[in-house]
Every structure is written in structure tokens, then in C-alpha cells.
């Protein structure tokens, strides 16, 4: 092995992906040890790093060209040894000059002074801070100033970060293309509008407030179903590069806040809205008019109170068929639709603002490949019949759709391109429906979970790959291979 040309050894190492295999290979000879060390560009370390500072410094010497490092102390207890602290992060950053991607998870002993040391990493492009209890806005500002190449920033469960000077600085001078903020109690979604001109460069944005105990219950406020937050442009910025947007658990009334993004994202391809209070049809209409490239939409909707005049109030989910019609008319590239309804009674269809009529218009107007419906009490067998004519539908997942029966399975079995079907908590589907699917012989994958009237025997041979689970409380789970054998 010592006589092999360096270039050949390098090519051999490049073809090995598993870390354990690389570690074993490096023990074969000094040449392989040195070459593999120079080639290694990514490592992940955690609680097993007993003498954290010394060990991490040694790793940087052993792998001088590291570009991606993840330090994860999830599940750490004092008995595991010392965590990496601020001094250790200083040593690490001074030895890792090629670093472009760093993740710090559950690093309880790194504070602002340690985070400021990342200014030595002038090539740092991506930083993820997950559960950093000692990190504040001061440390984050140091990173913003010291790391001019930073283009991706994730802040998750960093509760001491409050003021947004760092955000204003990045908006004026930075090059952020990806910003994710989750469960940071001190950051309000209105604060993020201080990003200013930074929105022009941003391509991915997520904001999620920390979950509250009663988040999914209707709040006491009554929202105006006719209010249009996009009639006047009160925020002077644009986000025409934004392709991925996710907003979760925020309230957009009486202050509008991040709601305005829905009418400004001309390049948007993927949208996720989860339990956002006070939105209405005007938001989806504005979105559809500006986002003709929209390919994926995910809506998590709970019950809210709406009124168009003082004499009448209704409790329902945020959007009605008018939103579906707008998407059908303007978003003709829509391929993935995921609709989840929380807190809606199975026998009270009016609690969901969508009807089957509006839903059918959407699926017949767009080339939908993937459809997920959770607690969609408006969908029945007639809706399944309409679905069966969808020429592009490949994957269908139904979760607690109580009006879908075996007749619906008969229809869906003949969907031209359907190859993946998942049914969860669909108690009106029985072995009879499974038999219809089996006779059609089109499914590559079938997942049946907690459908009380479907038996293990009933799903045998229905698809090439079958996953079956009978009871929610039981751990029973069977994998059935090709041909239906158990």
C-alpha cells in the first residue's frame, strides 16, 4: 500500500462513504492515515468527547481540511465528561481555518465570548445554534460582524436572544440566503421585519413561535374575514428571491407582521403555514397572484373565530373554497398539497372552510403528484372518484377521513399513476377495499395503520411493499415482502 501513487489513494478514499470504513482504512498504513486525514472534510462529535477541548483540537490537527463540523451534546449528563466550553471553541476555531459549516447543539457551556471567537472563521457560510442557553444577541452580533460570508443561520431554542441589532446588521451588510428561527422566546415575528433590504437576498425563511399549551384551541379574538393586509404596502421591502417559506404559530392581528410576505414572494415554490392566527382568503388570493411558480403547499389549520359584520360570528378554519379557486386558477405548477385540520369534529363539516366541491376544482386544475389529507371530513367516496381521474397523482395519504369507504378504494384503485397509498385511522375501509386495490395491481407501496376493519391477511399481496399496524397502542408492525409472504 505504501507504494501506491498518492492520486490513486486519494481516488480510493473518495469512493468510501461510511465513517467506520474510513477509520479502519486509516489504520492500514501511514500513507493511508495521512491521506485519509487530509481528505476528511466532515465530522460529528458529541458526548463521547470526554476531554472536549483537547480532543477537538487533536481532531483538527488530524483532519486539517475540515469544512463541516457538528458538535451535539443532546442527552448529555455530567457523567459523560466535560462539554466543550467557550475557551475550547476558541481553540477549535483557531485550528479550523477551512470551516464553512458549523452546528452547535445543546452546548450549555458556550457563551457570547465563545461565539465571538467564530470571527476567526472568515470562511464560515452556515451556522446552526440549537439550544444554546447562554447565547444572547451580543454573541450573535459578533458573528454577524466577524463572518462576512455567512449565508445560512439557524436559531432553535435560543431563549436569551432578544434584541435584533444582529438582524439589522445582517440586513444591511450581510449575505444571508437562509434564515430559520424556531422557539426563540425573545424574538417576535414583527422584529424580523427589521431585516430590511436583507429580504431581497433571502431564499429560505422559517419562523416558528414556541408551542403553547392551548395553541390549537380557538382563542377569544374574533378576526375579520374580509380584511385585506395586502391592499396597501406599509412595509417598504421586497423578497423576490424567496423560494421556501414556513410560518408557524404566530398571530397576525392586529399587527400584520410577517403576513405581508404572502403577497411579496414572486419566486416562491414551497409554502408551509401552520396554525397562523387571523389569516383569511385574501392572503391566499394575494399569494396566488404573485406566486405562479408555487409547487408545494402545506396548511395546518385549526378552528378560529371569524366575522364579516358585527351581527354574525362563525367558528371555522382560516380559508374557504375561494382560496382553493385562487390556487387552481393561478398556481398551475402545484404538485404537492398537504392539508391538516386540527380540532374539527368528524360530524361537523362546516368547521372546515373547504368543501369537496372546491377541493375537486383544485385537484382537477393542477398537476398534483403528492396529496396528504389529515382529518378532511369533507372528503367522501365521490371525492375519491374525482381523485381517481387525476393523471399525475402518484402518492396519496389519508389520515382519519371518516367518510371514505371501500367504494372509495374501488375508485382510487384505478388512478393512472398511483403507486404509493397510506391509510391511517380510516375505519370505514375494510378488507373488501384492500381486495379491490390488490386486483388493480398498481401499488408499489401500501401503508395501513390503525384501520380497525382491515386485517393483516387482507393486505397480503396488495402491493410490492406493505407496512401494517393494527392498533395505536400496540407495537404490532409487520413488513410484508413481494408476493405477500409474512
Amino acid at each position: 500500500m505504501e507504494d501506491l501513487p498518492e492520486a490513486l489513494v486519494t481516488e480510493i478514499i473518495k469512493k468510501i462513504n461510511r465513517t467506520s470504513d474510513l477509520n479502519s482504512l486509516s489504520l492500514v498504513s501511514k500513507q493511508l492515515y495521512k491521506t485519509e486525514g487530509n481528505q476528511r472534510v466532515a465530522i460529528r462529535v458529541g458526548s463521547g468527547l470526554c476531554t472536549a477541548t483537547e480532543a477537538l483540537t487533536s481532531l483538527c490537527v488530524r483532519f486539517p481540511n475540515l469544512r463541516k463540523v457538528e458538535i451535539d451534546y443532546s442527552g448529555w449528563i455530567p457523567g459523560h465528561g466535560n462539554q466543550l466550553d467557550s475557551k475550547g471553541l476558541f481553540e477549535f476555531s483557531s485550528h479550523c481555518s477551512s470551516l464553512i459549516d458549523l452546528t452547535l447543539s445543546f452546548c450549555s457551556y458556550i457563551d457570547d465570548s465563545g461565539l465571538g471567537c467564530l470571527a476567526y472563521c472568515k470562511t464560515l457560510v452556515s451556522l446552526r445554534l440549537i439550544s444554546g442557553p447562554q447565547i444572547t444577541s451580543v454573541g450573535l452580533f459578533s458573528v454577524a460582524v466577524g463572518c462576512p460570508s455567512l449565508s445560512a443561520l439557524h436559531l432553535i431554542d435560543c431563549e436569551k436572544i432578544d434584541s435584533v441589532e444582529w438582524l439589522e446588521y445582517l440586513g444591511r451588510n450581510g449575505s444571508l440566503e437562509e434564515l430559520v428561527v424556531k422557539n426563540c422566546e425573545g424574538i417576535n415575528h414583527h422584529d424580523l421585519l427589521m431585516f430590511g433590504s436583507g429580504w431581497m437576498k433571502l431564499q429560505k425563511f422559517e419562523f416558528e413561535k414556541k408551542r403553547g399549551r392551548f395553541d390549537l384551541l380557538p382563542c377569544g379574538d374574533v378576526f375579520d374575514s374580509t380584511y385585506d393586509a395586502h391592499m396597501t404596502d406599509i412595509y417598504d421591502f421586497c423578497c423576490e428571491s424567496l423560494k421556501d417559506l414556513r410560518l408557524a404559530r404566530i398571530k397576525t392581528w392586529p399587527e400584520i407582521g410577517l403576513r405581508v410576505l404572502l403577497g411579496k414572494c414572486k419566486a416562491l415554490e414551497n409554502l408551509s403555514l401552520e396554525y397562523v392566527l387571523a389569516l383569511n382568503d385574501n392572503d391566499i388570493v394575494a399569494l396566488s397572484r404573485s406566486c405562479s411558480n408555487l409547487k408545494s403547499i402545506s396548511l395546518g389549520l385549526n378552528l378560529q373565530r371569524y366575522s364579516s359584520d358585527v351581527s354574525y360570528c362563525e367558528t371555522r378554519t382560516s380559508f374557504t373554497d375561494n382560496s382553493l379557486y385562487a390556487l387552481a386558477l393561478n398556481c398551475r405548477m402545484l404538485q404537492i398539497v398537504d392539508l391538516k385540520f386540527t380540532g374539527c369534529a368528524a360530524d361537523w363539516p362546516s368547521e372546515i372552510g373547504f368543501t369537496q366541491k372546491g377541493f375537486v376544482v383544485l385537484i382537477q386544475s393542477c398537476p398534483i403528484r403528492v396529496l396528504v389529507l389529515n382529518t378532511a371530513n369533507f372528503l367522501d367516496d365521490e371525492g375519491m372518484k374525482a381523485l381517481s381521474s387525476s393523471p399525475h397523482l402518484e402518492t396519496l395519504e389519508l389520515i382519519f377521513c371518516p367518510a371514505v369507504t371501500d367504494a372509495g378504494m374501488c375508485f382510487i384503485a384505478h388512478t393512472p399513476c398511483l403507486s404509493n397509498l397510506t391509510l391511517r385511522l380510516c375505519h370505514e375501509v375494510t378488507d373488501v377495499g384492500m381486495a379491490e386495490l390488490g386486483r388493480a395491481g398498481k401499488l408499489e407501496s401500501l401503508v395501513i395503520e390503525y384501520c380497525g376493519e382491515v386485517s393483516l391477511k387482507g393486505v397480503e399481496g396488495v402491493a410490492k411493499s406493505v407496512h401494517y399496524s393494527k392498533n395505536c397502542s400496540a407495537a404490532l408492525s409487520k413488513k410484508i415482502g413481494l408476493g405477500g409472504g409474512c
Side-chain angles (χ1 to χ4, degrees), residues 176 195-203 237-242:
L176 273 192
F195 194 38
S197 59
W199 286 105
M200 274 291 293
K201 303 171 187 175
L202 210 60
Q203 296 182 25
F237 69 86
C238 55
C239 45
E240 296 185 354
S241 299
L242 197 63

Side-chain angles (χ1 to χ4, degrees), residues 227-459:
Y227 177 71
D228 192 344
H230 313 278
M231 285 289 288
T232 57
D233 195 356
I234 61 175
Y235 295 105
D236 185 22
F237 69 86
C238 55
C239 45
E240 296 185 354
S241 299
L242 197 63
K243 294 182 179 180
D244 296 275
L245 173 63
R246 178 175 177 265
L247 303 176
R249 294 179 171 82
I250 63 174
K251 183 178 179 181
T252 63
W253 179 265
E255 295 86 6
I256 299 172
L258 293 175
R259 183 180 191 171
V260 298
L261 295 179
L262 298 176
K264 290 177 173 284
C265 307
K266 294 183 178 180
L268 196 66
E269 296 180 1
N270 306 299
L271 172 67
S272 177
L273 300 174
E274 300 175 26
Y275 313 119
V276 179
L277 292 181
L279 296 180
N280 60 38
D281 288 328
N282 289 322
D283 296 294
I284 297 296
V285 170
L287 170 83
S288 69
R289 287 173 177 167
S290 62
C291 304
S292 59
N293 293 325
L294 192 67
K295 296 177 181 178
S296 171
I297 186 168
S298 175
L299 301 177
L301 305 173
N302 61 325
L303 294 177
Q304 300 178 33
R305 293 186 175 92
Y306 285 91
S307 176
S308 57
D309 60 62
V310 294
S311 61
Y312 177 71
C313 176
E314 58 181 339
T315 300
R316 59 168 174 82
T317 55
S318 300
F319 309 120
T320 71
D321 284 351
N322 290 332
S323 292
L324 298 179
Y325 296 148
L327 292 171
L329 178 65
N330 300 314
C331 301
R332 293 304 181 95
M333 298 177 65
L334 193 60
Q335 299 178 31
I336 301 173
V337 175
D338 186 341
L339 305 177
K340 179 181 181 180
F341 306 96
T342 299
C344 303
D347 55 351
W348 205 263
S350 63
E351 288 186 338
I352 294 180
F354 300 148
T355 69
Q356 186 160 271
K357 179 183 176 182
F359 171 73
V360 169
V361 169
L362 178 66
I363 62 174
Q364 290 180 341
S365 303
C366 301
I368 295 173
R369 295 185 301 102
V370 178
L371 177 62
V372 180
L373 298 175
N374 190 331
T375 320
N377 59 27
F378 57 79
L379 181 70
D380 60 19
D381 293 332
E382 284 300 312
M384 295 292 281
K385 183 178 180 180
L387 267 180
S388 68
S389 63
S390 300
H392 305 282
L393 188 64
E394 299 172 2
T395 299
L396 175 64
E397 182 173 347
L398 302 180
I399 305 166
F400 191 58
C401 295
V404 174
T405 72
D406 290 332
M409 295 300 103
C410 294
F411 291 128
I412 208 68
H414 302 288
T415 308
C417 295
L418 187 69
S419 58
N420 306 294
L421 176 64
T422 297
L423 301 177
R424 293 187 174 96
L425 295 166
C426 293
H427 299 303
E428 298 302 317
V429 177
T430 73
D431 287 350
V432 174
M434 295 299 102
E436 290 293 335
L437 293 170
R439 278 191 283 273
K442 291 186 175 184
L443 293 181
E444 293 286 327
S445 170
L446 174 66
V447 175
I448 301 293
E449 293 184 343
Y450 325 135
C451 300
E453 301 303 316
V454 178
S455 68
L456 178 59
K457 184 175 179 61
V459 299

Side-chain angles (χ1 to χ4, degrees), residues 163-236:
S163 61
V164 290
E165 288 86 355
W166 57 274
L167 187 65
E168 295 178 25
Y169 183 89
L170 286 172
R172 291 192 308 270
N173 307 298
S175 55
L176 273 192
E177 296 178 358
E178 181 175 320
L179 177 60
V180 175
V181 180
K182 297 181 181 178
N183 304 335
C184 296
E185 196 66 35
I187 303 176
N188 191 288
H189 74 102
H190 305 106
D191 296 334
L192 289 154
L193 296 173
M194 303 300 291
F195 194 38
S197 59
W199 286 105
M200 274 291 293
K201 303 171 187 175
L202 210 60
Q203 296 182 25
K204 177 179 178 179
F205 176 68
E206 292 187 32
F207 182 79
E208 178 178 349
K209 285 292 288 182
K210 197 166 186 177
R211 300 187 183 199
R213 186 175 180 181
F214 303 106
D215 276 357
L216 301 184
L217 298 177
C219 69
D221 296 324
V222 178
F223 306 120
D224 185 353
S225 60
T226 64
Y227 177 71
D228 192 344
H230 313 278
M231 285 289 288
T232 57
D233 195 356
I234 61 175
Y235 295 105
D236 185 22

